[in-house]
Amino acid sequence: MSLTHPDPPAVALPPAFLAFHALHHPHYLAYADAHLESEDARAAVREAFGDVVTHWSAIVSHPNPTARAWEHFTRSIDARTRPLPLNTNRTLEYQAVVLHLVAGCSIPVTADTTGQHPSKIRHLLRTWNSRRTTHP
């Protein structure tokens, strides 16, 4: 008797997830690139998106699916890396600084990526910058 290994089943991803992936992948990768070497960042983003699609039903039922997906993503990245030395202990502030100042994303893109309003991102960046310049 010869044992053969059948091909794994093909998985059809939800169209909404595919659109979400296409929209957010470059910015998620930019965030990961700020923390990891390029190949490690790519692998981390692949795994993080795997986590996001695994929880997709719960994510899209959340009042702010983009913010919930970002939480899944950053939890996955944070488990692999150490934070950059940015002198902040506020999670969203840190993420906004990394996306905007380190990865070079605009404020609207940073807001879209994190699922936050642009005014909140502006405020976080402004308060971080004022603390940084007044307390070296």
Side-chain angles (χ1 to χ4, degrees), residues 1-6:
M1 174 183 205
S2 172
L3 295 177
T4 60
H5 297 283

Side-chain angles (χ1 to χ4, degrees), residues 18-132:
L18 295 173
F20 179 86
H21 181 273
L23 179 65
H24 292 288
H25 184 270
H27 311 116
Y28 279 32
L29 184 57
Y31 185 86
D33 275 337
H35 294 91
L36 298 162
E37 296 295 324
S38 184
E39 285 305 312
D40 293 336
R42 290 182 195 294
V45 170
R46 262 191 314 277
E47 287 178 25
F49 269 110
D51 180 59
V52 169
V53 76
T54 299
H55 295 94
W56 189 248
S57 293
I59 288 170
V60 296
S61 67
H62 188 268
N64 187 340
T66 303
R68 181 53 58 102
W70 178 251
E71 289 170 10
H72 278 271
F73 169 74
T74 55
R75 208 170 320 144
S76 179
I77 296 300
D78 292 348
R80 303 182 103 160
T81 66
R82 299 179 118 193
L84 301 174
L86 296 177
N87 195 26
T88 181
N89 59 0
R90 295 196 229 157
T91 302
L92 185 58
E93 182 181 74
Y94 172 86
Q95 294 165 355
V97 169
V98 171
L99 281 169
H100 182 64
L101 298 176
V102 177
C105 296
S106 68
I107 288 175
V109 167
T110 299
D112 287 345
T113 302
T114 60
Q116 303 300 319
H117 194 275
S119 63
K120 183 170 188 169
I121 298 301
R122 270 192 225 68
H123 172 75
L124 290 170
L125 293 169
R126 195 175 313 121
T127 57
W128 177 80
N129 196 41
S130 66
R131 275 197 329 274
R132 187 176 63 90

